[in-house]
């Protein structure tokens, strides 16, 4: 059976809740399945459009008939080692703070960030003074121009990470897995973590929907830990700006860090809003 489905509404896989029916669509659950989808797309002369949860993507009302849309949000495997954590591309960024509490590791800056860890690595997602480059050690990618190479390992130092920038923006590569550094005090086993963590790939809520995303992660966190003050502040900030009340693109500014403060704050201070 082909791993590629037909006539799937892209609005069901987008935070903006827009997009018509994709003639070809796939949601692989692993690297081998992703490679299978990519190879079949190539054999059928389809152009792959690979993404995660569809956060802030503007899908067309009439998607191209020669495009295979491939969502990685079912690629949610996790492996905890002594000092590192290996995650599939589709693990939500918002899950990291909960993993961090269990493993004595500070992943708090990703609290309630929408989207997947692979997308976060692709853009080097940032909140305040912390970014994905701070916690990544290695990544695995698939080269769309050479699928026969399979999954390729790359180190953090080879990723050219900078402010909201990575090597992946300039390459025809798809991030399939990544490895994060854990605290030296970590004593967590994956089996321990999964005793209270539902399989992300099997939940019934739609994490592409910002309101369901917010409800799921706030309920999940509060069911396991009292929310610390710094995470309460992040949540209050995001709620104040209606991040989860409507499909939202959040800030549209890319800050110039030389200015010492966010561009939005400067505009506010100058009375130019």
């Amino acid at each position: 059976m082909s791993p590629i489905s037909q006539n799937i509404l892209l609005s069901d896989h987008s935070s903006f809740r827009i997009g018509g029916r994709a003639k070809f669509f796939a949601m692989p659950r692993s690297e081998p399945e992703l490679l299978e989808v990519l190879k079949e797309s190539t054999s059928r002369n389809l152009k792959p459009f690979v993404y995660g949860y569809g956060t802030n993507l503007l899908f067309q009302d009439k998607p191209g008939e020669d495009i295979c849309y491939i969502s990685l949000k079912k690629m949610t495997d996790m492996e905890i080692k002594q000092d590192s954590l290996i995650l599939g591309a589709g693990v939500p960024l918002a899950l990291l703070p909960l993993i961090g509490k269990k493993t004595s590791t500070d992943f708090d800056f990703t609290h309630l960030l929408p989207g997947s860890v692979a997308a976060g690595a692709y853009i080097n997602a940032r909140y305040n003074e912390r970014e994905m480059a701070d916690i990544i050690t290695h990544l695995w990618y698939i080269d769309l121009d050479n699928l026969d190479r399979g999954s390729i390992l790359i180190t953090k130092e080879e990723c050219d990470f900078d402010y909201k920038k990575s090597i992946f923006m300039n390459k025809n590569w798809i991030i399939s897995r990544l490895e994060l550094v854990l605290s030296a005090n970590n004593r967590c086993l994956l089996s321990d973590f999964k005793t209270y963590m539902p399989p992300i790939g099997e939940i019934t809520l739609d994490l592409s929907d910002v309101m369901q995303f917010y409800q799921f992660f706030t309920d999940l966190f509060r069911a396991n830990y009292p929310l610390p003050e710094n995470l309460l502040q992040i949540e209050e900030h995001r709620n104040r700006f209606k991040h989860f009340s409507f499909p939202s693109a959040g800030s549209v500014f890319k800050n110039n860090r030389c200015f010492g403060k966010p561009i939005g704050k400067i505009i506010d201070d100058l009375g130019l809003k």
Side-chain angles (χ1 to χ4, degrees), residues 117-162:
V117 290
Y122 178 90
I123 64 169
N124 193 18
R126 182 182 182 88
Y127 186 79
N128 286 340
E129 295 304 311
R130 299 198 65 205
E131 58 190 14
M132 289 296 289
D134 296 335
I135 61 176
I136 289 173
T137 59
H138 297 84
L139 299 99
W140 288 260
Y141 69 88
I142 293 171
D143 185 348
L144 290 175
D145 297 323
N146 194 345
L147 296 178
D148 289 337
R149 294 183 67 191
S151 176
I152 303 166
L153 179 67
I154 188 172
T155 66
K156 165 186 171 176
E157 289 73 25
E158 297 173 280
C159 291
D160 294 342
F161 283 125
D162 203 342

Side-chain angles (χ1 to χ4, degrees), residues 209-264:
D209 181 297
V210 290
M211 288 158 274
Q212 293 189 51
F213 161 86
Y214 172 72
Q215 192 65 54
F216 175 76
F217 281 106
T218 51
D219 288 351
L220 181 63
F221 212 110
R222 287 184 171 87
N224 291 285
Y225 289 98
L227 210 60
E229 182 62 29
N230 64 321
L231 298 193
L232 284 171
Q233 290 174 357
I234 293 173
E235 188 171 333
E236 189 278 331
H237 169 82
R238 295 191 181 282
N239 280 320
R240 180 156 40 94
F241 289 99
K242 311 290 185 185
H243 284 197
F244 309 114
S245 300
F246 308 96
S248 167
S251 172
V252 297
F253 297 111
K254 182 175 181 180
N255 294 309
N256 185 329
R257 296 172 68 186
C258 297
F259 294 160
K261 61 173 72 173
I263 297 296

